[in-house]
Amino acid sequence: MKDPYEVLGLSRGASEGDIKAAFRKLGREYHPDRNQGDELATQRFKEINAAYQILSDPQKRAMFDRFGAAGVGGGGGASPFGGMPADFGDLHIDGIFGDLLDALGIRVGERGDLQVEVQLSFEEAAFGCSKKVAYDRVLSCEDCGGSGGAPGSPVGACGACSGRGKVRFQQGVFPIMVERTCGRCEGTGRVVTEPCRSCSGAGLRARKVELEVEIPPGIEPGSTRRLEGRGNTMRGRRAGDLDVLVTVRPHQFFRRVGDNVVCGLPITFAQAVLGDEVEIPTLEGKGTLRVPAGTQPGTTLRIKGKGIPKRVMGGRGDQLVEIQVEIPTNLTERQKLLVEELARELGEGVQPQQRSFLDKLRDLFSG
């Protein structure tokens, strides 16, 4: 009989965490899904599973440490541990089975829920779309139909619950007996005698799946779409759910504020003074905007109904255009003279806003 410590590459003083880490590392390396057609890898994976079942169970480990193979029923035979076959009936989600799935590289919550991220463009988030998402999902093994047993192999009654699927235990200090689902057979009342070669007795396999997800108009970054029953399949339970997390790529022109779309619009000094009709980007493409004469830097102009579709009340938000006046630089001598002449015509360049500021400044210092 092979020493389970040697199989997992551990010392006798290995902690529970060390045992789990070694199992997950070796399980990923030798799992049949990653070594299809490799008989040596399949045999090695069975040895790893059997070793983990001994060392992860405090009672079995103590018996092995004290009595060796005889303490856990080890003897002659063809199984990896002599007469002790790998007990795949113990692979339930709350114990070894969860670690087995983790060895596949798939982390499963208690309900089997999963999360996948989908990235949208700014326009896709605004108007909605249909997106394909691909992700790894645990499903029933096709070869054994999810039973965990090799096709045609006999299935025996579970020894832990005598085939009932439930076990009784006393709750608290009072002689009250309660029932719960058997953890060994997961409520089926049956255990396999010969594990399925494809799933190593788990009854489940990880597969890449693709799904079409409908994204509603106006969805916000960080929102999730929950798809019931699209998560990992759980033996004896309903399948978990899939949460689709929405992220949105930044836009070169727009940013979102609630249901409104905000963009900046650079205009020239002359356009700000005299007014103009300018071309602007909108969510639907090119648009036009009338800039009133005398528009000040920092002014926000509003275009009704050109924002994000509202998910609850209907209609759409607005597009807010922030005016940015570009001040000319590197003027020629003639241009400087013209600006100076304009300043004199305007009254030494003092505008109403500036006069108001200067008046407040004089009041401050005169007080």
Side-chain angles (χ1 to χ4, degrees):
M1 174 180 175
K2 293 186 179 180
D3 188 320
Y5 290 101
E6 293 181 3
V7 171
L8 296 181
L10 298 168
S11 66
R12 295 267 171 169
S15 67
E16 181 180 345
D18 294 334
I19 294 169
K20 283 191 174 184
F23 169 74
R24 291 170 181 170
K25 178 178 180 295
L26 294 172
R28 291 190 184 98
E29 182 178 353
Y30 290 101
H31 196 278
D33 280 354
R34 299 186 178 182
N35 301 273
Q36 295 186 11
D38 188 340
E39 293 294 332
L40 292 178
T42 300
Q43 184 68 15
R44 178 80 170 113
F45 185 73
K46 291 180 180 179
E47 292 177 355
I48 292 165
N49 269 307
Y52 181 67
Q53 289 188 55
I54 291 176
L55 299 185
S56 64
D57 186 317
Q59 293 182 342
K60 290 181 181 179
R61 182 180 181 183
M63 293 296 287
F64 180 84
D65 289 343
R66 186 173 183 183
F67 301 108
V72 289
S79 80
F81 285 83
M84 189 197 72
D87 184 5
F88 290 95
D90 279 338
L91 300 182
H92 54 87
I93 192 63
D94 297 319
I96 299 174
F97 182 49
D99 295 320
L100 178 63
L101 294 182
D102 198 33
L104 286 172
I106 297 181
R107 297 192 175 275
V108 211
E110 184 178 338
R111 285 168 37 89
D113 293 340
L114 293 174
Q115 186 179 81
V116 64
E117 181 179 306
V118 60
Q119 190 176 75
L120 308 177
S121 69
F122 195 92
E123 290 83 358
E124 286 175 330
F127 298 119
C129 63
S130 179
K131 298 289 283 188
K132 285 185 178 180
V133 294
Y135 62 104
D136 290 320
R137 182 185 182 191
V138 175
L139 295 168
S140 294
C141 175
E142 295 176 338
D143 293 340
C144 67
S147 69
S153 65
V155 178
C158 174
C161 64
S162 301
R164 296 179 61 250
K166 294 184 179 295
V167 292
R168 292 183 177 181
F169 65 100
Q170 184 173 324
Q171 180 72 38
V173 297
F174 299 101
I176 300 175
M177 300 301 292
V178 296
E179 284 190 337
R180 68 179 178 186
T181 301
C182 178
R184 178 185 172 106
C185 66
E186 297 180 358
T188 64
R190 300 172 292 115
V191 292
V192 300
T193 57
E194 182 183 346
C196 170
R197 293 170 63 88
S198 298
C199 64
S200 302
L204 303 171
R205 295 186 68 181
R207 292 201 291 274
K208 180 78 72 176
V209 297
E210 196 173 74
L211 187 64
E212 195 88 15
V213 180
E214 293 297 325
I215 305 297
I219 196 166
E220 296 184 358
S223 300
T224 57
R225 294 277 291 163
R226 169 154 290 200
L227 304 178
E228 293 187 0
R230 295 291 187 170
N232 285 329
T233 297
M234 313 291 285
R235 290 182 65 180
R237 311 181 191 182
R238 64 177 290 275
D241 300 330
L242 175 68
D243 285 332
V244 181
L245 175 64
V246 173
T247 61
V248 180
R249 293 191 296 272
H251 197 279
Q252 60 178 331
F253 294 121
F254 304 121
R255 70 180 190 273
R256 179 173 179 171
V257 179
D259 293 324
N260 295 328
V261 170
V262 182
C263 70
L265 176 65
I267 62 174
T268 66
F269 173 75
Q271 286 175 316
V273 172
L274 303 175
D276 196 5
E277 189 171 274
V278 296
E279 190 176 86
I280 62 167
T282 71
L283 290 177
E284 285 89 357
K286 293 180 181 179
T288 57
L289 174 68
R290 181 65 191 173
V291 178
T295 296
Q296 300 299 316
T299 298
T300 298
L301 302 179
R302 183 182 299 267
I303 307 176
K304 290 285 188 180
K306 288 294 184 179
I308 305 291
K310 298 179 180 179
R311 298 189 60 186
V312 179
M313 301 177 62
R316 291 176 60 175
D318 302 329
Q319 179 167 336
L320 306 180
V321 183
E322 297 175 341
I323 299 299
Q324 303 161 357
V325 179
E326 295 183 332
I327 304 300
T329 59
N330 301 320
L331 298 178
T332 65
E333 289 302 319
R334 172 172 166 74
Q335 289 169 339
K336 290 179 181 177
L337 290 173
L338 291 173
V339 172
E340 289 172 356
E341 184 178 346
L342 175 62
R344 285 192 296 270
E345 288 289 331
L346 294 175
E348 297 183 345
V350 178
Q351 300 298 308
Q353 296 93 329
Q354 292 172 306
R355 280 198 292 270
S356 174
F357 173 76
L358 293 174
D359 290 341
K360 291 179 182 178
L361 194 62
R362 280 193 292 271
D363 291 342
L364 176 66
F365 288 111
S366 63

